Structures are given as structure tokens and as C-alpha cells.
Amino acid sequence: MAKFEEMSQLLQKGRAKDLTALVNEELESGTPAKDILNNSLIVGMGEIGQRFKKNEVFVPEVLIAARAMNMALAVLKPALANAGVEHKGTVVICTVKGDLHDIGKNLVKMMIEGTGLKVVDLGVDCSAEKVIDAIKEYNADVVCLSALLTTTMLYQKEIIDAITAAGLRDKVKIMVGGAPVTQEFADKIGADFYTPDAASAAECASALFN
Ligand code: B1M
């Protein structure tokens, strides 16, 4: 449908005002909210993720598209709730203790939200206790740990060990990332997945529920 493509294009261009106007128009003309979400917004976010991966667009474009996505989601939210659309799964995300860098984490969060998963953001400087409480409170399926410093990446292991000690290791998949993190490091600390960027993190999280 041409309107789905148009909304996808508006999202990718970050034209939030035009996008939300069109989303409203489509809702009013009877297009189901979940069709707008699945056939247009998620497709658009997926496209921008692919282009980000290929270095065809950069952080500002992704942030602008993600902002448009969030504004469109806010318009859709009441209709989605009424339609009984449920999230496929719940992801808890944070930047680990001692680390205040949140731009990459926010990108990962937005890209994962773009796949239709619910994301609980615990912010920065996040302790193992806070992660464990959130896994229990939100019945989380996936934990995403971001670290930007060579010193704080070590705390990713502490969180994984604490999750194991709390008896929750079999309940959640753990994804790690951030500039100094590597596949080798992720294997060493017992993470389930390492992804180098926001787009592949979203792909990885989404694939867990397909
Ligand atoms: Co800081 N900083 N910083 N800093 N900072 C770095 C990381 C650094 C590399 C700069 C440098 O020296 N060249 C360096 C780290 C060196 C090291 O450890 N090897 C550094 C340092 C040393 C510090 C301080 C210690 C400086 C000081 O005070 N002396 C201090 C530490 C504060 C703290 O955290 N306790 C500090 C502070 C800051 C600011 C507050 C000023 C600011 C952060 C603002 C904010 O985030 N709100 C800042 C910034 C902006 C940077 C740089 C310039 C940019 C980071 C960034 O946002 N990149 C950075 C240098 C650089 O990277 N060029 C630097 C853009 C972002 C989109 O990329 O976060 O890598 P990134 O995220 C990517 C991937 O890594 C991945 O996806 C994202 C997008 O594709 N990814 C994941 C991230 N998390 C993921 C999780 C996943 C999967 C993928 O799964 C769970």
C-alpha cells in the first residue's frame, strides 16, 4: 500500500510532524494500528538500521528517525492498547556501573523498540542489583549491557555473574556491546551475544523472538 511506503519514507527522513499527521489520518480512515506499525514504521526503522550498518546514514539521521518513530508510536499507542497488541518480549537495557556514556545505549534502545519489543531503560551507572530487580519486576527475556570504557566493560562480567548467582541466568539472554567490547571479550565473560552496533543489536534481539 502506497501509504505504508509513504510513512516508512517519512520516518526514514525523520519528518516527525508529517509522519504523525499521516499516521493520524490513516487511523481515522480505519487502517488498523498494528498494520501501520508492522508494515510501515518497523519496516522504516529496519531500513534505516540497514543503511546505518552500511555507513549510508550516520548517528544524527538515526536519532532523528528514531525520534520520529517514537512520536508516531505515541500516536499509535492508544489504538494498539485497544487492539490488544502485545509486545513479543521485554528487554532490559542499561549502561553499566561507573559509566555515564548513553548515546550508543539510547540508539540501541530505539532500534530495538523499532522492532516491536518492549524496552525498559535503566539508564547509566547501573548496578547489578538494579538489573536483577528489573529482570524480576518486568519479567524480562533479554538483558542488554552497554559499556564505553575499558574500565567499566569489566563490570559487564560482574552483572552476568550476579544474574547467575541470583538463579536467573537461564531465564534471560544477555547481550553486550559498546566500543571497547569484542566478541572475544563477550565469550570470555559468558555473554550470549555480542553485536558491534545498534542495528545488529536490534536484529539480534528481534531474532530471539522469531
Ligand atoms: Co567519554 N570516553 N569519557 N565522554 N567519550 C570515550 C568513550 C573515549 C574513547 C574518548 C577517548 O579517549 N578517545 C574514552 C574511553 C577510553 C577507554 O576507556 N579506552 C572516554 C573517556 C576516557 C571518558 C572519561 C573518563 C573522560 C574524563 O573524564 N577524563 C569520562 C568518563 C565518564 C564516565 O563515564 N564515568 C568521559 C565522559 C564523556 C562525556 C560525559 C563528556 C560524553 C558522554 C555523553 C553521553 O554519553 N551522554 C563522552 C563522549 C561523548 C565520548 C565519545 C567522544 C563519544 C561516545 C559516543 O557517544 N559515541 C567517546 C570517543 C568516541 O567514541 N569517539 C568517548 C557515539 C555512539 C553512537 O557510539 O557509544 O560507541 P557508541 O555506541 C555504538 C556502539 O558501541 C554500539 O552501538 C552504538 C551505535 O551503533 N553499542 C552497542 C553501544 N552499546 C551497545 C550495546 C549493545 C550492542 C551495541 O548490546 C547490548
Side-chain angles (χ1 to χ4, degrees), residues 52 59 93-96 98-108 112 124 143-152 156 174-180 193-202:
F52 183 52
V59 172
I93 192 167
C94 70
T95 302
V96 302
D99 201 321
L100 303 176
H101 296 87
D102 68 355
I103 297 169
K105 184 264 295 167
N106 291 343
L107 266 178
V108 173
I112 293 180
V124 297
V143 172
C144 284
L145 305 174
S146 178
L148 261 285
L149 301 171
T150 44
T151 45
T152 57
Q156 292 181 328
I174 301 178
M175 295 170 52
V176 293
F193 301 102
Y194 159 75
T195 50
D197 54 53
S200 43

Side-chain angles (χ1 to χ4, degrees), residues 52 57-66 107:
F52 183 52
V57 294
F58 301 96
V59 172
E61 286 97 329
V62 179
L63 287 174
I64 291 167
L107 266 178

Side-chain angles (χ1 to χ4, degrees), residues 3-197:
K3 293 282 179 188
F4 288 148
E5 177 57 22
E6 194 179 341
M7 286 186 281
S8 167
Q9 288 300 329
L10 288 172
L11 181 142
Q12 290 176 57
K13 289 176 189 148
R15 287 171 53 189
K17 226 171 136 189
D18 295 334
L19 175 64
T20 50
L22 191 51
V23 168
N24 260 321
E25 214 175 88
E26 282 302 297
L27 279 177
E28 275 164 21
S29 72
T31 308
K34 76 171 179 12
D35 289 356
I36 298 174
L37 177 69
N38 293 328
N39 302 341
S40 178
L41 304 184
I42 289 179
V43 172
M45 240 11 236
E47 278 290 315
I48 203 99
Q50 289 304 325
R51 287 163 59 202
F52 183 52
K53 242 169 132 176
K54 289 190 238 159
N55 288 328
E56 290 171 8
V57 294
F58 301 96
V59 172
E61 286 97 329
V62 179
L63 287 174
I64 291 167
R67 202 190 91 213
M69 172 83 179
N70 281 331
M71 286 174 70
L73 282 178
V75 174
L76 282 185
K77 216 170 188 172
L80 285 172
N82 291 340
V85 172
E86 284 181 9
H87 289 289
K88 291 182 286 180
T90 302
V91 178
V92 163
I93 192 167
C94 70
T95 302
V96 302
K97 194 168 172 177
D99 201 321
L100 303 176
H101 296 87
D102 68 355
I103 297 169
K105 184 264 295 167
N106 291 343
L107 266 178
V108 173
K109 173 190 166 184
M110 288 173 182
M111 299 293 291
I112 293 180
E113 279 177 338
T115 71
L117 295 170
K118 174 180 172 180
V119 183
V120 178
D121 185 356
L122 305 180
V124 297
D125 192 23
C126 185
S127 67
E129 295 73 30
K130 208 168 158 190
V131 174
I132 286 166
D133 288 347
I135 294 172
K136 291 179 186 161
E137 181 176 348
Y138 299 101
N139 195 22
D141 308 288
V142 181
V143 172
C144 284
L145 305 174
S146 178
L148 261 285
L149 301 171
T150 44
T151 45
T152 57
M153 64 195 270
L154 305 174
Y155 196 75
Q156 292 181 328
K157 179 176 183 326
E158 286 196 37
I159 295 182
I160 295 173
D161 290 348
I163 290 173
T164 307
L168 296 168
R169 187 65 186 89
D170 293 339
K171 188 194 162 346
V172 289
K173 294 289 179 202
I174 301 178
M175 295 170 52
V176 293
V181 180
T182 60
Q183 181 67 58
E184 193 189 355
F185 178 73
D187 293 340
K188 212 161 108 188
I189 64 174
D192 294 304
F193 301 102
Y194 159 75
T195 50
D197 54 53

